[in-house]
Amino acid sequence: METVQRLTDSILSLDCNDRRLERFENLFPLPDGVSYNSYYIDDEKTAIVDTVDSSVTLQFLENVKYALNGRDLDFLIVNHMEPDHCANIVELAKLYPNMKLVGNAQTFAFFEQFYPSADLTANYYPVKNGDQLSLGQHELNFVFAPMVHWPEVMFSYESTEKILFSADAFGTFGALNGNLFTDETDYENLYGDECRRYYTNIVGKYGPQVKRALKKASKLDIAMIAPLHGPVWRSNIDYILDRYMKWATYTPEKAGVVIPYASAYGNTASAVDYLANRLSEQGVKDIRIFDVSKTDASYIIANIFKYSHVVFAAPTYNLNLFPAMKSFLDEMAILEIKNRQFAVIGNGTWSPTSTKEMIEFFDTQKGWTNLGDTITLKTAMVDDEKAQFDVLAKAIADSVKATEID
Ligand code: FEO
């Protein structure tokens, strides 16, 4: 059955949900599924904005057929060539051979790389940044947004109904639950954290480019933002734009402490809990502790984007930093997170090297400020080491309290 919903009198959502996929891009867990959104504009000329992932092809084609209601498809706008959105271009071209494929030079280059055996060159309808396409009553304006999330990405702004088709931007993990618009959901509880986890892990590396795209978007009169994942924004638009500006500039949302740790036998974990208790006594609220061996890195990354301070704690393993922490730091480095204060706790039974390795790692990272008072344990924490933890807790708590959040 079709799963089509109405954005406006003449624009439909053709969204499809996948609640079975284990990991997005085979990397990020999807406990609440994901939606792949596509939009249909009904006018003198017909247009679809982006397609969907191959896992939901049958549902998508049913939705397309329902939306077109016997009409031909004139244009397919390709705002993003990642396979979760472009996987049905060839399918649509088979059904609607006259359809023009609207994209830029990189869109078509990527299309040919992903689908080398499909020749749609006769269908190409190349556009440049700032170009317009009239469908009749509706007019699409193409605003290039490179690296949000790939280089070919563009936004399509429909100026009659003031709808920004924003590709991956402003989307979220989490399938749709019937409610198409964010203001029909308990957004903060249902999507708030997943929207951050989606942004920070998928686009987090490209803060400067996102900032540029936000600047372009701020010049548009936007009544609705229609992303490629998750619900559509038709109210509270400043809220999501502000959130994006914070993330794009690596500005913490809250003064607080995240503690990612690794622990082979529980001794480093115990020391982390001891520190967290002292932090709480010092007035630090909403402390977040994660075992990097267990919790998927994407959740920890999202929390590091959210909070101002981070304490990394890990033992030594085979004379090196514990592998799970090393892997976590490598993943974090790829995303180029910055503007955070941090402290380090190392551990080791005979030749502890983890403290040194973590400090050396942060020497290579931009925008990380070491609060000092580094601690190195020799296996289990003992009473004589409590004073060091008290000093570290006070230094962190003082710094947290001094952090100003807009
Ligand atoms: Fe939803 Fe970058 O693809």
Short mmCIF file of all heavy atoms in Angstrom, two decimals, residues 238-263:
data_model
loop_
_atom_site.label_atom_id
_atom_site.label_comp_id
_atom_site.label_asym_id
_atom_site.label_seq_id
_atom_site.Cartn_x
_atom_site.Cartn_y
_atom_site.Cartn_z
N ASP A 238 13.89 28.14 13.58
CA ASP A 238 15.08 28.75 14.18
C ASP A 238 15.78 27.80 15.15
O ASP A 238 16.99 27.83 15.30
CB ASP A 238 14.70 30.03 14.94
CG ASP A 238 14.45 31.17 13.98
OD1 ASP A 238 14.81 31.02 12.79
OD2 ASP A 238 13.88 32.20 14.40
N TYR A 239 14.99 26.95 15.81
CA TYR A 239 15.55 26.00 16.77
C TYR A 239 16.56 25.07 16.08
O TYR A 239 17.68 24.90 16.55
CB TYR A 239 14.41 25.20 17.41
CG TYR A 239 14.85 23.92 18.09
CD1 TYR A 239 15.38 23.93 19.37
CD2 TYR A 239 14.73 22.69 17.43
CE1 TYR A 239 15.79 22.75 19.99
CE2 TYR A 239 15.14 21.52 18.04
CZ TYR A 239 15.66 21.55 19.32
OH TYR A 239 16.07 20.38 19.91
N ILE A 240 16.16 24.50 14.95
CA ILE A 240 17.06 23.54 14.29
C ILE A 240 18.23 24.28 13.62
O ILE A 240 19.35 23.79 13.59
CB ILE A 240 16.31 22.60 13.31
CG1 ILE A 240 17.23 21.49 12.79
CG2 ILE A 240 15.66 23.34 12.15
CD1 ILE A 240 17.69 20.50 13.84
N LEU A 241 17.97 25.50 13.12
CA LEU A 241 19.08 26.27 12.53
C LEU A 241 20.11 26.63 13.62
O LEU A 241 21.31 26.53 13.39
CB LEU A 241 18.55 27.55 11.88
CG LEU A 241 17.68 27.36 10.62
CD1 LEU A 241 17.15 28.70 10.12
CD2 LEU A 241 18.45 26.67 9.50
N ASP A 242 19.62 27.02 14.81
CA ASP A 242 20.54 27.35 15.92
C ASP A 242 21.35 26.13 16.35
O ASP A 242 22.54 26.22 16.60
CB ASP A 242 19.75 27.85 17.15
CG ASP A 242 19.22 29.24 16.94
OD1 ASP A 242 19.61 29.88 15.93
OD2 ASP A 242 18.40 29.69 17.76
N ARG A 243 20.66 25.00 16.44
CA ARG A 243 21.35 23.76 16.82
C ARG A 243 22.47 23.46 15.82
O ARG A 243 23.59 23.13 16.19
CB ARG A 243 20.36 22.58 16.76
CG ARG A 243 19.77 22.22 18.09
CD ARG A 243 18.99 20.93 17.98
NE ARG A 243 19.38 20.03 19.06
CZ ARG A 243 19.05 18.74 19.12
NH1 ARG A 243 18.35 18.21 18.16
NH2 ARG A 243 19.44 18.00 20.12
N TYR A 244 22.14 23.59 14.55
CA TYR A 244 23.14 23.31 13.50
C TYR A 244 24.31 24.28 13.59
O TYR A 244 25.46 23.90 13.38
CB TYR A 244 22.47 23.36 12.12
CG TYR A 244 22.22 21.97 11.58
CD1 TYR A 244 21.38 21.10 12.27
CD2 TYR A 244 22.82 21.52 10.42
CE1 TYR A 244 21.15 19.81 11.80
CE2 TYR A 244 22.61 20.24 9.95
CZ TYR A 244 21.78 19.39 10.64
OH TYR A 244 21.58 18.10 10.18
N MET A 245 24.02 25.55 13.89
CA MET A 245 25.11 26.53 13.96
C MET A 245 26.05 26.17 15.13
O MET A 245 27.26 26.27 15.00
CB MET A 245 24.54 27.95 14.12
CG MET A 245 25.59 29.03 14.01
SD MET A 245 26.63 28.90 12.50
CE MET A 245 25.69 29.90 11.36
N LYS A 246 25.48 25.73 16.24
CA LYS A 246 26.31 25.29 17.39
C LYS A 246 27.19 24.12 16.98
O LYS A 246 28.40 24.11 17.23
CB LYS A 246 25.40 24.84 18.54
CG LYS A 246 25.00 25.95 19.49
CD LYS A 246 24.90 25.44 20.93
CE LYS A 246 24.93 26.62 21.89
NZ LYS A 246 23.63 27.24 22.09
N TRP A 247 26.60 23.14 16.36
CA TRP A 247 27.38 21.94 15.99
C TRP A 247 28.42 22.29 14.93
O TRP A 247 29.55 21.80 14.99
CB TRP A 247 26.44 20.85 15.46
CG TRP A 247 25.47 20.33 16.48
CD1 TRP A 247 25.64 20.34 17.85
CD2 TRP A 247 24.18 19.75 16.25
NE1 TRP A 247 24.54 19.79 18.46
CE2 TRP A 247 23.63 19.42 17.52
CE3 TRP A 247 23.45 19.46 15.11
CZ2 TRP A 247 22.38 18.81 17.66
CZ3 TRP A 247 22.20 18.86 15.25
CH2 TRP A 247 21.67 18.54 16.50
N ALA A 248 28.04 23.13 13.98
CA ALA A 248 28.98 23.47 12.90
C ALA A 248 30.19 24.24 13.42
O ALA A 248 31.27 24.19 12.83
CB ALA A 248 28.26 24.30 11.83
N THR A 249 30.00 24.96 14.51
CA THR A 249 31.11 25.75 15.07
C THR A 249 31.74 25.05 16.27
O THR A 249 32.55 25.64 16.98
CB THR A 249 30.61 27.15 15.49
OG1 THR A 249 29.48 27.00 16.37
CG2 THR A 249 30.20 27.98 14.29
N TYR A 250 31.37 23.81 16.50
CA TYR A 250 31.92 22.98 17.59
C TYR A 250 31.74 23.67 18.94
O TYR A 250 32.60 23.62 19.81
CB TYR A 250 33.40 22.67 17.32
CG TYR A 250 33.60 22.01 15.97
CD1 TYR A 250 33.97 22.76 14.85
CD2 TYR A 250 33.36 20.65 15.80
CE1 TYR A 250 34.11 22.17 13.60
CE2 TYR A 250 33.50 20.05 14.56
CZ TYR A 250 33.87 20.81 13.47
OH TYR A 250 34.00 20.23 12.23
N THR A 251 30.60 24.34 19.10
CA THR A 251 30.29 25.04 20.34
C THR A 251 29.50 24.10 21.25
O THR A 251 28.47 23.56 20.83
CB THR A 251 29.41 26.28 20.05
OG1 THR A 251 30.10 27.08 19.08
CG2 THR A 251 29.15 27.08 21.30
N PRO A 252 29.96 23.89 22.50
CA PRO A 252 29.19 22.99 23.38
C PRO A 252 27.79 23.52 23.64
O PRO A 252 27.59 24.73 23.73
CB PRO A 252 29.99 22.98 24.69
CG PRO A 252 31.28 23.66 24.40
CD PRO A 252 31.13 24.45 23.15
N GLU A 253 26.84 22.59 23.75
CA GLU A 253 25.46 23.00 24.11
C GLU A 253 25.30 23.15 25.61
O GLU A 253 24.46 23.90 26.07
CB GLU A 253 24.47 21.93 23.64
CG GLU A 253 24.38 21.75 22.15
CD GLU A 253 23.66 20.45 21.82
OE1 GLU A 253 22.47 20.33 22.13
OE2 GLU A 253 24.30 19.55 21.25
N LYS A 254 26.10 22.36 26.37
CA LYS A 254 25.97 22.37 27.83
C LYS A 254 27.34 22.35 28.47
O LYS A 254 28.27 21.72 27.95
CB LYS A 254 25.23 21.11 28.30
CG LYS A 254 23.74 21.12 28.06
CD LYS A 254 23.07 19.94 28.73
CE LYS A 254 22.80 20.23 30.21
NZ LYS A 254 21.95 19.19 30.84
N ALA A 255 27.45 23.03 29.63
CA ALA A 255 28.66 22.88 30.45
C ALA A 255 28.51 21.57 31.21
O ALA A 255 27.55 21.42 31.97
CB ALA A 255 28.78 24.06 31.40
N GLY A 256 29.41 20.65 31.00
CA GLY A 256 29.29 19.35 31.65
C GLY A 256 30.42 18.43 31.25
O GLY A 256 31.29 18.81 30.45
N VAL A 257 30.41 17.23 31.80
CA VAL A 257 31.55 16.32 31.64
C VAL A 257 31.11 14.98 31.04
O VAL A 257 30.16 14.36 31.54
CB VAL A 257 32.23 16.07 33.00
CG1 VAL A 257 33.47 15.19 32.82
CG2 VAL A 257 32.60 17.38 33.68
N VAL A 258 31.83 14.57 30.00
CA VAL A 258 31.67 13.23 29.43
C VAL A 258 32.93 12.44 29.80
O VAL A 258 34.04 12.98 29.69
CB VAL A 258 31.55 13.29 27.89
CG1 VAL A 258 31.30 11.90 27.32
CG2 VAL A 258 30.46 14.24 27.48
N ILE A 259 32.76 11.21 30.21
CA ILE A 259 33.94 10.40 30.57
C ILE A 259 33.94 9.10 29.76
O ILE A 259 33.29 8.11 30.15
CB ILE A 259 33.97 10.07 32.09
CG1 ILE A 259 33.74 11.35 32.92
CG2 ILE A 259 35.32 9.43 32.45
CD1 ILE A 259 33.77 11.13 34.42
N PRO A 260 34.62 9.08 28.62
CA PRO A 260 34.79 7.83 27.90
C PRO A 260 35.97 7.07 28.54
O PRO A 260 37.05 7.63 28.71
CB PRO A 260 35.15 8.26 26.47
CG PRO A 260 35.06 9.77 26.47
CD PRO A 260 35.19 10.22 27.87
N TYR A 261 35.76 5.83 28.87
CA TYR A 261 36.86 5.08 29.50
C TYR A 261 36.95 3.68 28.90
O TYR A 261 35.99 3.17 28.30
CB TYR A 261 36.67 4.99 31.02
CG TYR A 261 35.62 3.98 31.44
CD1 TYR A 261 35.97 2.64 31.67
CD2 TYR A 261 34.29 4.34 31.56
CE1 TYR A 261 35.01 1.71 32.03
CE2 TYR A 261 33.33 3.40 31.92
CZ TYR A 261 33.69 2.09 32.15
OH TYR A 261 32.74 1.16 32.50
N ALA A 262 38.14 3.09 29.09
CA ALA A 262 38.32 1.67 28.79
C ALA A 262 38.83 1.01 30.07
O ALA A 262 39.52 1.66 30.87
CB ALA A 262 39.34 1.50 27.68
N SER A 263 38.49 -0.26 30.26
CA SER A 263 38.93 -0.94 31.48
C SER A 263 38.93 -2.43 31.22
O SER A 263 37.90 -3.00 30.86
CB SER A 263 37.98 -0.59 32.63
OG SER A 263 38.47 -1.08 33.86
#
